[in-house]
Amino acid sequence: MKEAKQYRGYIGTYTKGDSEGIYSFILDAEEGIIKNVSVAAKLDNPTYLTVTDSNKQLYAVAKEGDEGGVAAYSIGDNGELSKLNSTAEAGSPPCHVSVNTDYGVLSANYHKGTIDFYELNPDGSIQPAASVAKHEGSGPDPRQEKAHSHYAGFTPDGKYVVAVELGIDQVITYKLQGNQLIKVSQLDTRPGSGPRHLAFHPNKEYAYVMTEFSSEVLVLKYNQEDGSFAQQQAISTLPAEFTENNQGSAIHLSSDGKFVYAGNRGHNSIAVFSVNPQTFELTFVEHVSTEGDWPRDFILDPSEKFVVASNQESSNLVLYSRDSETGKLTLLQSDITVPDPVCVKFLNY
């Protein structure tokens, strides 16, 4: 990646208040500030976004009346979004979307407990769902009355699709047979833990799962032969003395694989962990306040010298500088107003 002076990012939001849809912003790396926040596309509840590696398309979960689905946009040279099309079905929209342009788009639907696979047209527009995998079951937590799919993504080798199932405490692996999702493996996490999101280590042999209910990071060994996972460690993202409500949110790694970052909604912090280079297990480094309420997401910028967090309930973005040697974060800016922000994504540089 070549160093740039400015990086463009996008913010997915809830449109239940003042938000109009997808917002864009500029991170000025020289000045260390976020600026030029503006509406990029008007859309109902585009809570989660994903950008293709080529920076040519952006996909967003979307609500269209009483239907929910995925909207496809082309990204212009100056970062403007132009809608290509959308696909929607009756019921609530998904909560997560990811893309691998060699295969297609995946979405996870919390309310339906489903994983949907969509094929793409040559221009990046999206076809109706080719395959839908529905999960069944429940868990011991009152919020686990049924399946609640919260994440779906391709493995780094592209061989499998991984679904993270908050409602039934499972990490489920599928393969694509033609354009159909075929289940090949499942990992049962501790009952009531509520696994939410997953991020792979750059070595492609380990993955880290953030749990929503137990507020832990699970260290998983990934078997590239059969797509299965085995749990190796669980480490809390909270201080021992914290006993109030907390719900785990996002999880991300530095590209050198040395640090894992995990979000706490309630404690309102980002937990920083160092990665053991031999065992890939985690050691706690620090908690950093998100200077707001309910940090739904955060992301490392393309240079990884900065981290941007989004506080959903206090409607602000927060900018930190990041020390690549220690992994620690230092607050730079916390007064960036964005209504009901959920997801933050950057273009690739």
Side-chain angles (χ1 to χ4, degrees):
M1 184 211 75
K2 69 174 192 280
E3 291 282 330
K5 294 179 181 178
Q6 296 189 338
Y7 301 102
R8 180 174 295 279
Y10 297 93
I11 309 152
T13 68
Y14 274 114
T15 53
K16 58 190 177 185
D18 296 331
S19 172
E20 296 184 67
I22 302 171
Y23 287 73
S24 70
F25 66 92
I26 295 294
L27 168 58
D28 189 315
E30 288 193 324
E31 294 186 42
I33 60 169
I34 284 175
K35 59 186 184 181
N36 299 357
V37 177
S38 62
V39 178
K42 292 188 177 183
L43 187 66
D44 279 352
N45 283 355
T47 52
Y48 209 87
L49 315 172
T50 189
V51 175
T52 58
D53 290 342
S54 66
N55 291 336
K56 290 183 178 179
Q57 289 89 22
L58 177 148
Y59 299 92
V61 303
K63 182 177 182 292
E64 298 180 353
D66 294 330
E67 297 185 327
V70 178
Y73 291 85
S74 64
I75 303 173
D77 292 339
N78 61 354
E80 84 279 1
L81 301 181
S82 301
K83 189 171 182 180
L84 293 168
N85 75 333
S86 61
T87 180
E89 295 179 351
S92 299
C95 65
H96 185 272
V97 62
S98 63
V99 63
N100 180 322
T101 48
D102 290 336
Y103 303 99
V105 166
L106 294 165
S107 71
N109 195 304
Y110 175 91
H111 296 282
K112 295 180 178 179
T114 58
I115 303 301
D116 291 37
F117 170 67
Y118 309 86
E119 293 182 302
L120 296 173
N121 297 312
D123 65 350
S125 59
I126 191 166
Q127 298 181 21
S131 182
V132 178
K134 184 168 176 56
H135 303 145
E136 303 288 349
S138 60
D141 190 281
R143 293 163 290 181
Q144 294 178 307
E145 80 289 357
K146 63 177 183 177
H148 289 302
S149 307
H150 220 302
Y151 167 95
F154 292 94
T155 56
D157 54 21
K159 288 172 64 176
Y160 297 101
V161 168
V162 182
V164 179
E165 242 302 336
L166 179 143
I168 55 177
D169 299 312
Q170 291 179 354
V171 177
I172 305 169
T173 307
Y174 295 90
K175 66 177 178 180
L176 275 175
Q177 197 164 291
N179 61 5
Q180 297 299 300
L181 292 165
I182 307 297
K183 181 178 175 179
V184 295
S185 181
Q186 80 179 46
L187 169 71
D188 296 323
T189 66
R190 183 163 62 84
S193 57
R196 175 185 170 92
H197 271 209
L198 177 146
F200 272 91
H201 190 278
N203 69 7
K204 306 178 184 179
E205 296 176 2
Y206 284 83
Y208 299 85
V209 169
M210 182 69 191
T211 67
E212 180 167 322
F213 300 152
S214 62
S215 301
E216 295 171 303
V217 177
L218 311 180
V219 180
L220 308 184
K221 180 77 169 69
Y222 171 56
N223 184 325
Q224 298 184 48
E225 294 305 310
D226 63 9
S228 64
F229 292 89
Q231 185 174 318
Q232 194 167 298
Q233 182 193 23
I235 185 170
S236 177
T237 63
L238 295 172
E241 66 274 12
F242 186 82
T243 57
E244 298 169 47
N245 174 53
N246 188 77
Q247 296 179 27
S249 59
I251 185 163
H252 297 286
L253 276 77
S254 55
S255 62
D256 60 10
K258 293 181 178 179
F259 298 99
V260 169
Y261 298 84
N264 288 309
R265 297 174 295 176
H267 189 248
N268 293 336
S269 66
I270 296 173
V272 183
F273 299 92
S274 61
V275 179
N276 183 302
Q278 276 77 47
T279 66
F280 301 96
E281 294 185 358
L282 303 183
T283 300
F284 174 74
V285 174
E286 68 168 353
H287 287 112
V288 181
S289 170
T290 60
E291 307 294 326
D293 189 15
W294 218 246
R296 186 70 175 259
D297 194 18
F298 63 88
I299 195 166
L300 282 71
D301 83 299
S303 73
E304 301 197 355
K305 293 178 179 178
F306 301 93
V307 167
V308 180
S310 55
N311 289 302
Q312 181 184 327
E313 297 301 329
S314 51
S315 292
N316 66 311
L317 296 188
V318 184
L319 178 65
Y320 309 88
S321 60
R322 190 184 84 93
D323 187 316
S324 62
E325 296 301 314
T326 66
K328 292 184 175 182
L329 306 181
T330 301
L331 178 67
L332 295 177
Q333 192 181 10
S334 62
D335 60 350
I336 310 140
T337 299
V338 177
D340 300 303
V342 177
C343 169
V344 187
K345 287 284 185 280
F346 278 98
L347 292 181
N348 303 289
Y349 288 82

